[in-house]
Amino acid sequence: MTALYVTQWIAAAAAAAGCALALAALRRARAAAAAGTRDGDIADAPAPRGWLRALAAPVAARLRPTSQAELDELTTLLMHAGRRQRDAVDRYLEERVLALVAGLVAAVPLAMAVGGLWGMLLADVAIVAGVLGPKKALELRAAERRDAIAAALPSAVDLLTTCIQAGLALDQAIARVARDLELSAPILADELRLTASELDAGVSLPDGLRRLSRRVGLDDLSALCGVIAQAHGLGAPIGDTLHEYADSSRKQRMSMLEERAGKIAAQITLPLAICFLPAAMLVILGPAAVQLIRALQ
């Protein structure tokens, strides 16, 4: 029994150490994603690796996608999550290895401590979390960024329209909007600042807008970039084009909200019936049932 307890304590300590290292790696990755890069789509200098990542690098190299389509899909997902470093793919694969090791290490003490069927289920959950956790966290991060950009996009379009109608060039207007949105919408401000830097560096306007659309992966922003690029190519007034786009975008947003409101009214019908029908039947039939019981007694 003593040897069993010692083994359990060693496994628990190893699991705690593995979880702590995995959390530390995840924090460093999120800090690097929040810092981002401001000189291009992908940073020129890779981020420094710790000894833990160096140990996971050989295994992570075997997990690297072999087909170009899978590699492009992973790179796009990383960019949507705000991870634009040159070695972002390698760092993500190392995080997958570390998460898998942490899940395997945590599964052993869970199975030994709980025991039986529940122990095996908890161990399976830990292993599945280690396998699927990194990609799910990356997808959630990308969804959070898209939601934040979608919420700030109408204000950005209005500010951009005002700046262009005031006489600023498009690249100057984008830089000005990025400065104005730095506190209220830092994610969108960072993307616009990067686009303004690319335009200042000599990137053409259609290419800069295409890169912005690819980095964010938001349909509304992609439509906005397409409208601006088309107006610039045809020589149409960009201010008037943005004003018309803002009006149509507001109408589309209102119709979408009205559609959601109509769906909510239909969706809450069944929960209301399930929750209120028993109480209503009790209130209606309760007195009659009490009187019937008294009459039978």
Side-chain angles (χ1 to χ4, degrees):
M1 294 297 293
T2 304
L4 179 60
Y5 287 139
V6 171
T7 305
Q8 290 179 354
W9 279 108
I10 293 175
C19 293
L21 292 175
L23 288 175
L26 181 59
R27 285 186 177 181
R28 287 196 298 269
R30 298 195 71 172
T37 58
R38 304 184 187 277
D39 56 348
D41 279 350
I42 300 177
D44 292 332
R49 278 191 177 90
W51 64 270
L52 190 61
R53 290 182 179 274
L55 293 176
V59 182
R62 296 182 177 273
L63 297 177
R64 191 177 182 88
T66 55
S67 65
Q68 188 63 33
E70 294 179 356
L71 183 60
D72 292 341
E73 182 181 357
L74 179 58
T75 304
T76 302
L77 181 59
L78 289 169
M79 283 195 300
H80 291 173
R83 303 177 62 171
R84 299 189 294 264
Q85 298 86 357
R86 185 175 297 276
D87 60 341
V89 175
D90 296 332
R91 293 175 65 87
Y92 168 71
L93 295 176
E94 292 167 6
E95 292 170 9
R96 286 188 59 186
V97 174
L98 295 176
L100 177 59
V101 172
L104 292 174
V105 172
V108 176
L110 285 174
M112 295 178 62
V114 179
L117 180 60
W118 286 105
M120 294 299 296
L121 289 176
L122 291 177
D124 293 339
V125 169
I127 295 174
V128 171
V131 174
L132 303 179
K135 186 175 182 180
K136 189 62 177 179
L138 193 66
E139 293 175 349
L140 291 176
R141 174 62 180 169
E144 289 177 1
R145 284 176 57 86
R146 284 194 294 267
D147 292 341
I149 292 175
L153 188 59
S155 301
V157 173
D158 292 337
L159 287 174
L160 188 62
T161 305
T162 303
C163 292
I164 291 177
Q165 291 178 349
L168 294 179
L170 184 58
D171 54 347
Q172 297 174 348
I174 292 175
R176 179 57 186 270
V177 172
R179 289 197 301 269
D180 292 339
L181 295 178
E182 188 171 359
L183 295 179
S184 59
I187 298 177
L188 181 57
D190 182 65
E191 297 293 343
L192 294 177
R193 189 184 301 109
L194 179 56
T195 302
S197 300
E198 290 177 347
L199 296 178
D200 291 339
V203 178
S204 63
L205 180 62
D207 290 340
L209 295 176
R210 193 178 302 112
R211 292 186 181 189
L212 174 62
S213 175
R214 181 171 179 263
R215 285 196 307 268
V216 176
L218 183 65
D219 293 338
D220 293 341
L221 185 60
S222 299
L224 175 62
C225 293
V227 168
I228 295 176
Q230 185 178 9
H232 179 267
L234 297 176
I238 297 180
D240 297 339
T241 304
L242 286 176
H243 185 70
E244 294 177 359
Y245 173 81
D247 291 340
S248 63
S249 179
R250 287 192 187 91
K251 293 179 182 178
Q252 183 179 2
R253 193 176 184 85
M254 287 299 298
S255 62
M256 182 183 65
L257 293 176
E258 291 176 356
E259 182 182 357
R260 288 184 180 180
K263 289 181 179 179
I264 290 174
Q267 291 173 355
I268 64 176
T269 302
L270 182 61
L272 286 176
I274 294 175
C275 294
F276 287 116
L277 184 60
M281 295 299 294
L282 182 62
V283 171
I284 295 173
L285 300 179
V290 171
Q291 293 180 0
L292 180 61
I293 293 172
R294 289 178 178 177
L296 293 176
Q297 288 178 351

